[in-house]
């Protein structure tokens, strides 16, 4: 039979699970209620874990900042102690520098 339109001649069987992979904008697989609840629970657990990691990171960052501030403070105190007076004698340590 001759027509002006082209038709497909070969046909193949497909698995329904392939459709979402090939055309996700057209097809999707519905999750069961249990799967949906498990996915939500897992997402909440991941969020809690990330929040805990973030809090730990911020605490660590805060401690490091406090340590740096303390080191700077002690460094300034040492500099103040090393200031020499005009006409004063230098100690052995100060002469080496």
């Amino acid at each position: 039979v001759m027509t002006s339109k082209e038709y497909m001649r070969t046909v193949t069987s497909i698995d329904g699970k392939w459709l979402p992979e090939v055309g996700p904008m057209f097809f999707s697989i519905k999750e069961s209620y249990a799967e949906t609840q498990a996915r939500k629970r897992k997402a909440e657990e991941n969020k809690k874990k990330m929040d805990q990691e973030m809090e730990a990171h911020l605490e660590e960052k805060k401690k490091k900042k406090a340590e740096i501030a303390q080191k700077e403070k002690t460094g300034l105190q040492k500099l103040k102690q090393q200031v020499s007076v005009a006409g004063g004698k230098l100690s052995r340590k100060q002469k080496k520098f």
Side-chain angles (χ1 to χ4, degrees):
V1 178
M2 295 285 287
T3 64
S4 61
K5 296 182 180 178
E6 294 183 23
Y7 292 96
M8 183 182 284
R9 288 186 168 200
T10 56
V11 178
T12 183
S13 66
I14 59 167
D15 187 4
K17 295 178 183 175
W18 296 346
L19 294 174
E21 292 177 15
V22 176
M25 64 289 283
F26 302 112
F27 302 99
S28 64
I29 296 176
K30 290 188 177 182
E31 294 178 333
S32 69
Y33 180 74
E35 290 173 341
T36 304
Q37 293 300 321
R39 183 178 45 81
K40 286 182 181 179
R41 240 181 284 118
K42 189 173 181 179
E44 287 178 18
E45 290 172 3
N46 286 341
K47 186 178 184 301
K48 286 180 184 178
K49 184 179 176 182
M50 288 189 330
D51 287 342
Q52 290 172 348
E53 289 175 359
M54 180 59 97
E55 287 177 18
H57 176 71
L58 291 175
E59 284 294 321
E60 185 177 325
K61 192 174 180 181
K62 191 175 181 180
K63 287 179 183 178
K64 285 183 181 180
K65 192 173 183 179
E67 288 175 7
I68 290 171
Q70 183 66 27
K71 285 180 182 179
E72 288 177 356
K73 186 177 179 181
T74 56
L76 288 175
Q77 289 174 351
K78 287 180 181 179
L79 286 175
K80 288 179 182 178
Q81 292 173 357
Q82 292 178 356
V83 174
S84 59
V85 181
K89 293 184 178 181
L90 297 174
S91 67
R92 290 182 187 175
K93 288 183 182 178
Q94 291 175 334
K95 286 181 182 178
K96 289 182 181 178
F97 294 158

Coordinates of all heavy atoms in Angstrom, one line a residue, residues 40-80:
K40 N 11.9 10.5 52.6 CA 11.8 11.8 53.5 C 12.6 11.6 54.8 O 13.3 12.5 55.2 CB 10.4 12.1 53.8 CG 9.6 12.6 52.6 CD 8.2 12.9 53.0 CE 7.4 13.5 51.8 NZ 6.0 13.8 52.2
R41 N 12.5 10.4 55.4 CA 13.3 10.2 56.6 C 14.8 10.3 56.4 O 15.5 10.9 57.2 CB 12.9 8.8 57.2 CG 12.3 8.8 58.5 CD 12.0 7.4 59.1 NE 10.8 6.9 58.4 CZ 10.8 5.8 57.7 NH1 11.8 5.1 57.5 NH2 9.7 5.4 57.2
K42 N 15.2 9.7 55.3 CA 16.6 9.7 54.9 C 17.1 11.2 54.7 O 18.2 11.6 55.1 CB 16.9 8.9 53.7 CG 18.4 8.7 53.4 CD 18.6 7.7 52.3 CE 20.1 7.5 52.0 NZ 20.3 6.5 51.0
A43 N 16.3 12.0 54.0 CA 16.6 13.4 53.8 C 16.7 14.1 55.1 O 17.6 15.0 55.2 CB 15.6 14.0 52.8
E44 N 15.8 13.9 56.0 CA 15.8 14.6 57.3 C 17.1 14.2 58.1 O 17.7 15.0 58.7 CB 14.6 14.2 58.1 CG 13.3 14.9 57.6 CD 12.1 14.5 58.4 OE1 12.3 14.0 59.6 OE2 11.0 14.7 57.9
E45 N 17.4 12.9 58.0 CA 18.7 12.4 58.7 C 19.9 13.1 58.1 O 20.8 13.5 58.9 CB 18.8 10.9 58.6 CG 17.8 10.2 59.5 CD 17.8 8.7 59.2 OE1 18.6 8.2 58.4 OE2 16.9 8.0 59.8
N46 N 19.9 13.2 56.8 CA 21.1 13.8 56.1 C 21.2 15.3 56.5 O 22.3 15.8 56.8 CB 21.0 13.7 54.6 CG 21.3 12.3 54.2 OD1 21.9 11.5 54.9 ND2 20.9 11.9 53.0
K47 N 20.0 15.9 56.6 CA 20.0 17.4 57.0 C 20.5 17.5 58.4 O 21.3 18.4 58.7 CB 18.6 17.9 56.8 CG 18.5 19.4 57.1 CD 17.1 19.9 56.9 CE 17.0 21.4 57.0 NZ 17.4 22.0 58.3
K48 N 20.0 16.7 59.3 CA 20.5 16.8 60.7 C 22.0 16.5 60.8 O 22.7 17.2 61.5 CB 19.8 15.8 61.6 CG 18.3 16.1 61.9 CD 17.7 15.1 62.7 CE 16.2 15.4 63.0 NZ 15.5 14.3 63.8
K49 N 22.5 15.6 60.1 CA 23.9 15.3 60.1 C 24.7 16.4 59.5 O 25.7 16.8 60.1 CB 24.2 14.0 59.2 CG 25.6 13.6 59.2 CD 25.8 12.3 58.3 CE 27.3 11.9 58.3 NZ 27.5 10.8 57.4
M50 N 24.2 17.1 58.5 CA 24.9 18.2 57.9 C 24.9 19.4 58.9 O 25.9 20.1 59.0 CB 24.3 18.6 56.6 CG 24.6 17.7 55.5 SD 24.2 18.1 53.7 CE 22.8 19.1 53.9
D51 N 23.8 19.6 59.6 CA 23.7 20.7 60.6 C 24.7 20.4 61.7 O 25.4 21.4 62.1 CB 22.3 20.8 61.1 CG 21.3 21.3 60.1 OD1 21.7 22.0 59.1 OD2 20.1 21.2 60.3
Q52 N 24.8 19.2 62.2 CA 25.8 18.9 63.2 C 27.2 19.1 62.8 O 28.0 19.7 63.5 CB 25.6 17.4 63.7 CG 24.3 17.2 64.4 CD 24.1 15.7 64.7 OE1 24.8 14.8 64.2 NE2 23.1 15.4 65.5
E53 N 27.5 18.7 61.5 CA 28.8 18.9 61.0 C 29.1 20.4 60.9 O 30.2 20.9 61.2 CB 29.0 18.3 59.6 CG 29.0 16.7 59.7 CD 29.1 16.1 58.3 OE1 29.0 16.8 57.3 OE2 29.1 14.9 58.3
M54 N 28.1 21.2 60.5 CA 28.3 22.6 60.3 C 28.5 23.3 61.7 O 29.4 24.1 61.9 CB 27.1 23.3 59.7 CG 27.2 24.8 59.5 SD 28.6 25.2 58.5 CE 27.9 25.4 57.0
E55 N 27.8 22.8 62.7 CA 28.0 23.4 64.1 C 29.4 23.0 64.6 O 30.1 23.9 65.2 CB 26.9 22.8 65.0 CG 25.6 23.4 64.8 CD 24.5 22.8 65.7 OE1 24.9 22.2 66.7 OE2 23.3 22.9 65.4
A56 N 29.8 21.8 64.3 CA 31.2 21.4 64.8 C 32.2 22.2 64.0 O 33.2 22.7 64.7 CB 31.4 19.9 64.5
H57 N 32.0 22.5 62.8 CA 33.0 23.2 62.0 C 33.0 24.7 62.5 O 34.1 25.3 62.7 CB 32.6 23.2 60.5 CG 33.4 24.1 59.6 ND1 34.7 23.8 59.3 CD2 33.2 25.3 59.0 CE1 35.3 24.7 58.6 NE2 34.3 25.6 58.4
L58 N 31.9 25.3 62.8 CA 31.9 26.6 63.3 C 32.5 26.7 64.7 O 33.2 27.7 65.0 CB 30.4 27.1 63.4 CG 29.7 27.4 62.0 CD1 28.3 27.8 62.2 CD2 30.5 28.4 61.2
E59 N 32.3 25.7 65.5 CA 32.9 25.7 66.8 C 34.5 25.6 66.7 O 35.2 26.3 67.4 CB 32.4 24.5 67.7 CG 31.1 24.7 68.3 CD 31.0 25.8 69.3 OE1 32.0 26.0 70.1 OE2 30.0 26.6 69.3
E60 N 34.9 24.7 65.8 CA 36.3 24.6 65.6 C 36.9 25.9 65.0 O 38.0 26.3 65.5 CB 36.6 23.5 64.6 CG 38.0 23.1 64.3 CD 38.2 22.0 63.4 OE1 37.4 21.1 63.4 OE2 39.2 22.0 62.6
K61 N 36.2 26.5 64.1 CA 36.7 27.8 63.6 C 36.7 28.9 64.7 O 37.7 29.7 64.7 CB 35.7 28.2 62.5 CG 36.2 29.3 61.6 CD 35.2 29.6 60.5 CE 35.6 30.7 59.6 NZ 34.7 30.9 58.5
K62 N 35.8 28.9 65.6 CA 35.7 29.8 66.7 C 36.9 29.6 67.6 O 37.6 30.6 68.0 CB 34.4 29.7 67.4 CG 34.1 30.7 68.4 CD 32.7 30.5 69.0 CE 32.4 31.6 70.0 NZ 31.0 31.4 70.6
K63 N 37.2 28.3 67.9 CA 38.4 28.0 68.8 C 39.7 28.5 68.1 O 40.5 29.0 68.8 CB 38.4 26.5 69.0 CG 37.3 26.0 70.0 CD 37.4 24.5 70.2 CE 36.3 24.0 71.1 NZ 36.4 22.6 71.3
K64 N 39.8 28.2 66.8 CA 41.1 28.6 66.1 C 41.2 30.1 66.2 O 42.3 30.7 66.4 CB 41.1 28.1 64.7 CG 41.3 26.6 64.6 CD 41.4 26.2 63.1 CE 41.7 24.7 63.0 NZ 41.7 24.3 61.6
K65 N 40.1 30.8 66.0 CA 40.1 32.3 66.0 C 40.5 32.8 67.4 O 41.3 33.7 67.5 CB 38.8 32.8 65.6 CG 38.7 34.3 65.3 CD 37.4 34.7 64.8 CE 37.4 36.2 64.4 NZ 36.1 36.6 63.9
A66 N 40.0 32.1 68.4 CA 40.4 32.5 69.8 C 41.9 32.2 70.1 O 42.5 33.0 70.7 CB 39.5 31.8 70.8
E67 N 42.4 31.1 69.6 CA 43.8 30.8 69.7 C 44.7 31.8 69.1 O 45.7 32.2 69.6 CB 44.1 29.4 69.2 CG 43.5 28.2 70.0 CD 43.7 26.9 69.3 OE1 44.4 26.8 68.3 OE2 43.2 25.9 69.9
I68 N 44.3 32.2 67.8 CA 45.1 33.2 67.1 C 45.1 34.5 67.9 O 46.1 35.2 68.0 CB 44.5 33.4 65.7 CG1 44.8 32.1 64.9 CG2 45.1 34.6 65.0 CD1 44.1 32.1 63.5
A69 N 43.9 34.9 68.4 CA 43.8 36.1 69.1 C 44.7 36.1 70.4 O 45.4 37.1 70.7 CB 42.4 36.4 69.5
Q70 N 44.7 34.9 71.0 CA 45.5 34.7 72.2 C 47.0 34.8 71.9 O 47.8 35.4 72.6 CB 45.2 33.4 72.9 CG 45.9 33.2 74.2 CD 45.5 34.1 75.3 OE1 44.4 34.6 75.3 NE2 46.5 34.4 76.2
K71 N 47.4 34.2 70.8 CA 48.8 34.2 70.4 C 49.2 35.7 70.0 O 50.3 36.1 70.4 CB 49.0 33.3 69.1 CG 49.0 31.9 69.5 CD 49.2 31.0 68.3 CE 49.2 29.5 68.6 NZ 49.4 28.7 67.4
E72 N 48.3 36.4 69.4 CA 48.6 37.8 69.0 C 48.8 38.6 70.3 O 49.6 39.5 70.4 CB 47.5 38.4 68.1 CG 47.6 37.8 66.7 CD 46.4 38.4 65.9 OE1 45.6 39.1 66.4 OE2 46.4 38.1 64.7
K73 N 47.9 38.3 71.3 CA 47.9 39.1 72.5 C 49.2 38.8 73.3 O 49.9 39.7 73.8 CB 46.7 38.7 73.4 CG 46.6 39.5 74.6 CD 45.3 39.1 75.4 CE 45.2 39.9 76.7 NZ 44.0 39.5 77.4
T74 N 49.6 37.5 73.3 CA 50.9 37.2 74.0 C 52.1 37.7 73.2 O 53.1 38.1 73.8 CB 51.0 35.7 74.2 OG1 50.9 35.0 73.0 CG2 50.0 35.2 75.2
G75 N 52.0 37.7 71.9 CA 53.0 38.3 71.1 C 53.2 39.8 71.3 O 54.4 40.3 71.4
L76 N 52.1 40.5 71.5 CA 52.2 41.9 71.8 C 52.8 42.2 73.1 O 53.6 43.1 73.3 CB 50.8 42.6 71.7 CG 50.2 42.7 70.2 CD1 48.8 43.2 70.3 CD2 51.1 43.6 69.4
Q77 N 52.5 41.3 74.1 CA 53.0 41.5 75.4 C 54.5 41.2 75.4 O 55.3 41.9 76.1 CB 52.4 40.5 76.4 CG 50.9 40.8 76.7 CD 50.3 39.8 77.6 OE1 50.8 38.7 77.8 NE2 49.1 40.1 78.0
K78 N 55.0 40.3 74.6 CA 56.4 40.0 74.5 C 57.1 41.2 73.8 O 58.2 41.6 74.2 CB 56.7 38.8 73.7 CG 56.4 37.5 74.4 CD 56.6 36.3 73.6 CE 56.3 35.0 74.3 NZ 56.5 33.8 73.5
L79 N 56.5 41.8 72.8 CA 57.1 43.0 72.2 C 57.2 44.1 73.2 O 58.2 44.9 73.2 CB 56.2 43.4 71.0 CG 56.4 42.5 69.7 CD1 55.4 43.0 68.7 CD2 57.8 42.6 69.2
K80 N 56.2 44.3 74.0 CA 56.2 45.4 75.0 C 57.4 45.2 76.0 O 58.0 46.1 76.4 CB 54.9 45.5 75.7 CG 53.8 46.0 74.9 CD 52.5 46.1 75.6 CE 51.3 46.6 74.8 NZ 50.1 46.6 75.5

